[in-house]
Amino acid sequence: DINNCNSAKEKKHLALMNINGFKNINIIYGTKSGDGVLKEISDRLRLYKEILKIYKLNFDEFALIFNDNKPMDDVEYHIKNINQLLIREYNIKENEILLSFTFGISGINENVLQNADLALKFAKQKKAVYLSFDDIKNEAINKIDNFIIVKKIREAILNDDIIPYFQPIYNNKSGKIDKYESLLRIKSENEI
């Protein structure tokens, strides 16, 4: 179980694996064919059962937990090999279909699923086969900070909690005010 890999001595890794465009298989060929593809993917993943535990998540995702305390370089090496094994053709109703996969990797910690999911989303955005949470941590934190700031600004606008300040800009030659610069401040809780 993913949540039971949390001891301080363990440095295991979780990789979330997404089958890109899998819903199209279900739409075009039907869910029975889609189930056959999922079984074949599971069979291929079982070739790695010595080094990882495999869990089926939602309809197009798997969780792969590496059994040993492997450094990230080893995990990435295995992800590359797993990807090479999985991107071979799949036969569906006499058609050979090529699939692609995206992986998000995180060390096992209290936010393992969230971190691996973020890494997976970033990998999809960047069209990378895999990314680890360590690769995108700073970028993810910046995005979260930006969401918080945008939320605060939106709330301030809706609650009419913005105070405008106008600062004159003087013309150095004439000594007169040419224009004004407008600055905005969000009211603090003390001012409300």
Side-chain angles (χ1 to χ4, degrees):
D1 165 310
I2 292 169
N3 296 319
N4 291 333
C5 297
N6 207 8
S7 88
K9 292 180 183 176
E10 292 179 352
K11 296 200 175 168
K12 295 184 179 183
H13 291 88
L14 164 72
L16 288 182
M17 183 189 87
N18 180 263
I19 309 163
N20 299 323
F22 181 74
K23 67 181 175 185
N24 294 330
I25 290 174
N26 284 337
I27 291 168
I28 296 167
Y29 298 103
T31 55
K32 188 173 180 180
S33 294
D35 290 346
V37 169
L38 290 174
K39 183 182 179 324
E40 191 170 343
I41 290 169
S42 297
D43 291 343
R44 292 181 190 190
L45 286 172
R46 280 193 197 97
L47 295 174
Y48 286 87
K49 68 183 178 189
E50 298 298 319
I51 63 165
L52 55 84
K53 292 179 183 167
I54 305 155
Y55 298 90
K56 177 73 180 70
L57 299 179
N58 62 30
F59 81 104
D60 65 349
E61 282 187 0
F62 287 80
L64 313 174
I65 298 178
F66 289 84
N67 294 334
D68 298 326
N69 298 335
K70 296 188 179 305
M72 182 56 80
D73 289 347
D74 286 358
V75 172
E76 290 176 357
Y77 171 80
H78 289 302
I79 291 294
K80 288 176 189 174
N81 287 337
I82 290 167
N83 187 56
Q84 286 302 311
L85 176 72
L86 294 176
I87 60 173
R88 296 185 184 147
E89 293 87 11
Y90 294 82
N91 291 314
I92 305 173
K93 296 185 178 180
E94 300 177 13
N95 295 303
E96 287 186 348
I97 305 295
L98 284 174
L99 296 177
S100 63
F101 301 83
T102 305
F103 300 82
I105 308 165
S106 174
I108 301 288
N109 58 39
E110 63 189 45
N111 297 319
V112 63
L113 285 172
Q114 177 184 339
N115 293 350
D117 189 52
L118 270 172
L120 178 65
K121 286 181 172 122
F122 273 77
K124 282 186 166 287
Q125 284 175 359
K126 295 175 185 263
K127 297 185 182 349
V129 172
Y130 69 88
L131 284 175
S132 73
F133 181 72
D134 289 342
D135 293 335
I136 58 101
K137 187 184 331 183
N138 291 335
E139 201 173 337
I141 289 167
N142 288 341
K143 273 196 173 189
I144 291 166
D145 288 346
N146 288 342
F147 285 132
I148 292 168
I149 290 167
V150 168
K151 181 181 177 196
K152 285 183 180 183
I153 292 170
R154 184 177 294 131
E155 287 173 357
I157 291 169
L158 291 172
N159 295 326
D160 200 24
D161 288 338
I162 294 185
I163 304 168
Y165 290 91
F166 297 96
Q167 178 175 313
I169 298 176
Y170 289 90
N171 182 319
N172 286 339
K173 290 181 182 175
S174 69
K176 295 182 181 180
I177 297 172
D178 247 3
K179 50 188 159 187
Y180 287 88
E181 177 181 40
S182 175
L183 305 171
L184 301 175
R185 239 180 84 216
I186 295 176
K187 290 182 192 175
S188 68
E189 289 183 12
N190 299 346
E191 296 172 314
I192 298 176

